Amino acid sequence: MQPDTKFTGDDLRQSDPKFQPPRLVEYLNAVHQLDELAQKRYGKHVMDLAVRWVLDQPGITAALWGARHPAELEAVAGALDWNLDADTSAAIDQILRQTIANPIGPEFMAPPARNSVAA
């Protein structure tokens, strides 16, 4: 994904502010730094790190996500048989604080309301 990526069709990212300027550049920068962290500390990729981070949250026992392509499921294997250490968790928090000025919360996790069609 690049800063000028355009989302089409029914892609929810068309209306998600995380995927619109100026925030998209901030989030892409965070992803780049998190990928470097994952590779340096664990020999993993950012998707492996993301899934592992979710699974390492207290009270979480499963991680679900949507995949548009089979390759996006590779993070399942990459997230198994290891855990984040406290230093890495702190580094993740620091990267996010330093790169994302105005984070967007879970209010954009659901698709926008659609007009209903009468039957």
Side-chain angles (χ1 to χ4, degrees):
M1 189 176 303
Q2 301 297 319
D4 61 349
T5 299
K6 302 291 183 217
F7 304 101
T8 61
D10 65 348
D11 195 318
L12 180 61
R13 294 173 291 185
Q14 289 183 78
S15 61
D16 188 332
K18 291 185 298 293
F19 295 91
Q20 308 303 316
R23 287 186 176 106
L24 179 58
V25 173
E26 293 177 359
Y27 279 91
L28 290 175
N29 184 23
V31 169
H32 176 74
Q33 289 185 41
L34 292 169
D35 191 54
E36 287 180 346
L37 177 74
Q39 289 181 38
K40 179 180 175 184
R41 296 202 180 179
Y42 299 103
K44 304 284 186 179
H45 295 285
V46 70
M47 280 300 299
D48 306 326
L49 182 74
V51 174
R52 186 73 257 160
W53 181 89
V54 169
L55 291 172
D56 284 352
Q57 297 306 300
I60 301 298
T61 58
L64 302 174
W65 71 93
R68 291 182 178 256
H69 308 284
E72 293 174 354
L73 296 174
E74 292 173 7
V76 172
L80 301 178
D81 300 326
W82 63 285
N83 292 90
L84 297 176
D85 58 42
D87 288 341
T88 302
S89 293
I92 290 169
D93 291 342
Q94 182 178 5
I95 288 169
L96 296 176
R97 277 192 309 274
Q98 291 176 342
T99 57
I100 302 171
N102 295 304
I104 300 297
E107 63 272 18
F108 287 96
M109 295 298 290
R114 295 184 181 188
N115 294 332
S116 61
V117 177

